[in-house]
Amino acid sequence: MAGKPIILAVDDDPDVLQAIAHDVRHGFGEHFRVMRAESGDRALEVLRRLRLADEPVALLLVDQRMPGLTGIELLSASVGLYPDAKTALLTAYADTDVAITAINEVRLDHYLVKPWDPPEERLFPVLDDLLEDWTATHRPTFGGIRVIGHRWSVESHTARDFLARNQVPYRWLDLTSDPEALELLDLTGQTADRCPILVFPDGDVLVAPTTAQIAEKAGIGGHAEVPLYDLIIIGAGPAGLAAAVYGASEGLSTLVIEGEAAGGQAGQSSRIENYLGFPKGLSGSDLSRRALTQARRFGAELLLAREVTAISSDPGALAVTLSDGSTIRGHSVVIATGVAYNRLAAPGVDEFTGRGVYYGAALSEAATVKDEDVYIVGSANSAGQAAIHLATLARRVTILVRGAALEAKMSQYLADRILSTDNIEVRCRATIAEVRGTDHLEEVVILDGASGESTTESANHVFVFIGAAPRTSWLDGAVVRDEHGFITTGTAILAGDSAKAWSEERDPYLLETSIPGVFAAGDVRLGSAKRVATAVGEGASAVLSVWQYRAGMGL
C-alpha cells in the first residue's frame, strides 16, 4: 500500500466514516490508499505527518458538520500542507449555501449531499473526475531522505557526503534558498541551529545525527550475526571488497567492517578508465556498488560506520575491538583500510574544511559547483579524474600542480584529456599559500613557485588530492609498520629489527603482517602499487594466504 496516493476521509460519525471509507476503497482502492480521521483536528495531525513523510495526498473528502474544526475550516488549514489536493465536502441539504460559499473561499472542488447511495451513480463519477484531474498534473514525490541544513555547515556536509558515498538517495534542502526547507523545519518543530535535520520516507526525523545513527536508520549499518567469523575484513575499498568476494565465495563466513563508505578512495572517483574489462570506464561508485552486491550475494556481511580501534590475540582466535567497546572474534583478519589524503598545510584550511575546502571528490558537493570557479590541488590520477568530472559543471577548473609537469604523476591518457579540455587550466609550480573567508571559503592565495609572487583569487570550492597517508594510526605498536605508517608484510618482516616481532617458526605467508593470521592488502600495505586493479589483486591474494594459514592451523 505504501507509495499509493492517499484519499483522506473525515467524519465524526463512526458509522458514516466507515461507510464512506468502504465505498471509496471499493471504487478506487486499486490505485489509491484510503485513510480515515474521526475529526478535523485529527485529520490535520494526519496531514502534517503525511507531509513530513512526503506522502502524496490526492483527495480530501470531508464532512462539514464536525465539532472542533468544521469541514471548511479543515480544508482551509490543509491548503498550506497540500495545496494541490482535490477537495470535496460532504454536506446536508441545509448546508448547500455554505458549500457554495466555500467554492470561492477555499476553492472547494466539489460538494456532495448526503446520502450518496448508490455510490456507483452519485459518488464514483464525481471522485473519478477529481482524481483524474489530480493525476494529470501530479508529479511523483521524491521517495528518499530529505536533508535540511545550511550549505556551508560542516555537519550538513558530513551527512550529505556520507549518504552520497553510500549511494543512499537523498534530496538536499538549503535553508537559505529552498522554501520547502523552511516548511519542513517548521513541521519538525526544530530550529535552524540544530541542523542537519534528516527526514526519512516514513516521517521519522533525526536531528544532528552521527553517521552511525544515519546508517542504522537508513538500514545500511548492519550487525554482526555470528560469534566467530572465519574472516574479518577491515575496510571496504577495492582490496577489502575483493577479499570479501573471494572469501565468501569459497565458503568462509566473512564480515567486512567499514568506518565510512564502501569503495574507499576509489569509490569517490568520477571515472576509472584503465580498469580491465571496462573499455568505456566506470565510476568509482558503480564499481563499489557492483563489488558490494557481489560480496553480499556470496553471503558476506557488512558493518558500516563502525571504526576498529584495536586487534589483539584471543584464545583460539583474533579479537577486533570497535569504537563502541564491543569485540568481534575471527580466525583471520585482512586489514584493507587504505589511505587518506594528506592535509593541506596552509593558513585557514582547517577552519574552512567542509565549508569550501574538501578532501577528495566530495560527491555531495559536485552539484553546487555549477557555473562557478573550482580549484583542485594535486596531480595524481584522482585529481585528474575529479577535474574532468567537475569541468562538465563548473565554469572553470584550475589544477594547481606543485611539480614542473602534470604528466609526472598522472596517467598519460588523463593528462592528455585535461590539456585538451577548454575550461581546465593547469598551473605548474603553484601551491595554495592561504585560504580566507567569513562563514565559508571566499578567497585563495596562490603562490607561484617559479616567480615567488602570489595572487589572491575568488573561490568557493577547493578540492584537495595531495599524497596519501595510510589509515593505520589505530595499529600503533600492534604490527610492524614503516616510518610513514604503511604495514610491512611477508618475508620483509624478517629483515632488520622487525624480525624480532615475528614469533613463529615458519616464515610469514604472502601479505601476512607481524601478527600471525592478520594480513594486509591494498594501499595500506608497504610496497603496494596504489592502483585499483592491483588493490583488487591483493585482496584476492590475501584470501589465498588466509587459506594457507587455516591449513597450517588445522582449521
Side-chain angles (χ1 to χ4, degrees), residues 95-155:
D95 295 327
T96 54
D97 288 344
V98 175
I100 292 171
T101 302
I103 292 175
N104 295 323
E105 292 183 356
V106 298
R107 301 184 68 179
L108 181 70
D109 292 304
H110 209 283
Y111 69 91
L112 295 162
V113 179
K114 299 178 181 179
W116 57 85
D117 289 330
E120 290 79 7
E121 295 179 11
R122 302 186 61 184
L123 179 65
F124 292 173
V126 172
L127 300 191
D128 195 50
D129 285 344
L130 292 176
L131 293 171
E132 185 176 342
D133 288 346
W134 180 86
T135 302
T137 59
H138 172 64
R139 294 178 60 188
T141 55
F142 173 74
I145 301 168
R146 286 165 291 169
V147 181
I148 308 166
H150 300 282
R151 177 184 177 186
W152 303 115
S153 160
V154 175
E155 294 79 11

Side-chain angles (χ1 to χ4, degrees), residues 48-61:
R48 289 194 180 103
R49 180 71 178 180
L50 291 172
R51 182 67 187 89
L52 194 59
D54 212 18
E55 293 272 15
V57 173
L59 173 67
L60 300 174
L61 188 56

